[in-house]
Amino acid sequence: MMPMRRMGASPAKAKAKVKAKAAFVPMKGSPVASVEEWEVRPSGMLVQKRDPDSAPSLAPTIRVRVKYGAAYHEIYLSSQATFGELKKLLSSRTGLHPEDQKLIYKDKVRGSKAYLDLSGVKDGSKMVLVEDAAAQARRFLEMRRQAKIEKASNFISQISLDVDKLASEVSALETVVSKGGRVAEKDVVNLIEMLMTHLVKLDGVVADGDLKLQKRMQERRIQRHVETLDVLKIKNAMPRAADEKMPERQPQAKKRAPPSAVVTTKWEGFDSLFSPAAASTATSAATTASAGSTVSSAPTPKFDWELF
């Protein structure tokens, strides 16, 4: 009997697999680029993407003809340059800002970051330059906005310097008053008016972002100085009021009230002018009235009557 062959692949097939593996093993130390690092050229060739920040390689110089209005401009530059670099070269000849230019190549507007060779530009290629009115308007608006921001920033900086000078004067007045001295009230009032003037100027400044934060900081700073001056104004007036003496009031002579008439219910009885008892009774009644007795009722005098 023939010996049974071992189950598995034949020796020919095993050798073929080993050769295939050896053919696809990458070399050690060789860089392997990912799919994202490759790009397709207009000719259909697959090449590795270029890094714009890397050092430029030796590329051939090409001549490009650009039509602007009725004039043609011939520009010489590298074939691997961008349309943005071409716009910068055209700016010196046409007077247009690079952001206001629109380059049309093969009936298609090209972006500033696009490469010439990747877009199919060759030596002797023709393009059309058109002024971009919308981009120009956006650039003017941005320039005005930046100019306003710069003006507001310079204005706030100038106010900050002026407030620094006024703050030193406020500190000097505060030192004098804290030591018990007195300052002129006119100086305090003038400082308050100048600080309030700067506060009004800051209120008219329109700012956003970090500039708005700087504006608020200066406003709070001015308000603190004004509050300090108000306190100094009160303290400065206190010692002056203590030193002043009020004039002494002279006592006024008391007016004597006119004597009031004394009304009594005492009735004097007249019996006889010649009666000694009546005379004595009348005398005692007069003495009681002059003493100012407050007794409401008096005993009725008894008269001695003579019988005939």
Side-chain angles (χ1 to χ4, degrees):
M1 293 179 61
M2 296 181 61
M4 295 182 62
R5 298 179 59 184
R6 188 176 179 181
M7 298 296 292
S10 62
K13 291 183 179 181
K15 291 181 180 180
K17 288 184 178 180
V18 172
K19 290 181 179 180
K21 290 182 178 179
F24 290 98
V25 172
M27 296 177 63
K28 293 184 178 180
S30 61
V32 179
S34 61
V35 179
E36 298 178 355
E37 297 178 357
W38 297 91
E39 61 184 0
V40 181
R41 294 287 182 89
S43 60
M45 185 183 297
L46 183 64
V47 296
Q48 190 175 359
K49 286 185 178 180
R50 289 171 296 181
D51 187 5
D53 297 332
S54 61
S57 59
L58 296 176
T61 302
I62 60 175
R63 178 178 59 89
V64 180
R65 297 191 67 189
V66 182
K67 182 182 178 181
Y68 176 62
Y72 284 89
H73 301 278
E74 292 186 354
I75 305 296
Y76 292 87
L77 73 167
S78 174
S79 61
Q80 296 182 356
T82 60
F83 282 90
E85 296 175 358
L86 179 58
K87 290 179 180 180
K88 291 179 181 178
L89 296 175
L90 290 170
S91 178
S92 59
R93 296 192 181 186
T94 60
L96 291 177
H97 195 273
E99 296 180 2
D100 301 341
Q101 299 178 15
K102 185 187 294 185
L103 283 174
I104 302 174
Y105 178 67
K106 292 183 178 181
D107 299 333
K108 184 178 180 181
V109 179
R110 306 293 175 171
S112 299
K113 295 182 179 181
Y115 290 96
L116 296 177
D117 55 351
L118 297 180
S119 301
V121 179
K122 300 178 181 179
D123 188 20
S125 296
K126 297 180 181 180
M127 302 181 190
V128 179
L129 176 62
V130 181
E131 184 178 0
D132 191 355
Q136 187 177 13
R138 288 194 300 267
R139 187 173 61 86
F140 283 159
L141 292 176
E142 182 64 19
M143 288 175 60
R144 290 181 60 183
R145 190 180 71 86
Q146 293 295 333
K148 288 182 179 180
I149 292 176
E150 185 177 359
K151 183 179 179 181
S153 178
N154 295 335
F155 187 75
I156 293 176
S157 299
Q158 184 62 37
I159 289 181
S160 178
L161 294 175
D162 296 340
V163 173
D164 289 340
K165 297 178 182 178
L166 297 177
S168 61
E169 297 182 12
V170 173
S171 299
L173 295 180
E174 189 176 8
T175 303
V176 173
V177 174
S178 62
K179 292 182 179 180
R182 283 185 284 177
V183 296
E185 185 177 356
K186 183 179 180 181
D187 297 339
V188 180
V189 174
N190 290 338
L191 282 176
I192 294 176
E193 291 179 355
M194 287 188 286
L195 288 170
M196 293 302 296
T197 302
H198 286 91
L199 190 61
V200 173
K201 291 180 180 179
L202 282 174
D203 190 31
V205 177
V206 179
D208 295 325
D210 296 339
L211 202 60
K212 187 175 182 179
L213 181 60
Q214 295 179 10
K215 174 186 172 183
R216 288 182 178 178
M217 290 176 61
Q218 295 300 327
E219 289 176 347
R220 293 173 182 175
R221 183 184 176 195
I222 292 175
Q223 290 174 356
R224 287 196 300 267
H225 290 320
V226 172
E227 292 175 359
T228 303
L229 289 173
D230 290 337
V231 174
L232 290 180
K233 189 176 180 181
I234 297 174
K235 290 183 178 180
N236 188 45
M238 289 177 63
R240 183 180 300 176
D243 294 340
E244 293 178 356
K245 294 182 179 180
M246 297 294 294
E248 296 180 358
R249 295 183 179 181
Q250 296 180 356
Q252 297 180 357
K254 294 183 180 180
K255 295 181 179 179
R256 295 182 178 179
S260 57
V262 179
V263 179
T264 60
T265 56
K266 306 291 183 178
W267 295 94
E268 295 181 358
F270 297 94
D271 185 23
S272 175
L273 297 176
F274 301 100
S275 175
S280 61
T281 305
T283 304
S284 62
T287 304
T288 306
S290 61
S293 176
T294 58
V295 181
S296 61
S297 61
T300 304
K302 293 180 180 181
F303 301 99
D304 297 330
W305 297 92
E306 293 182 1
L307 296 176
F308 294 98

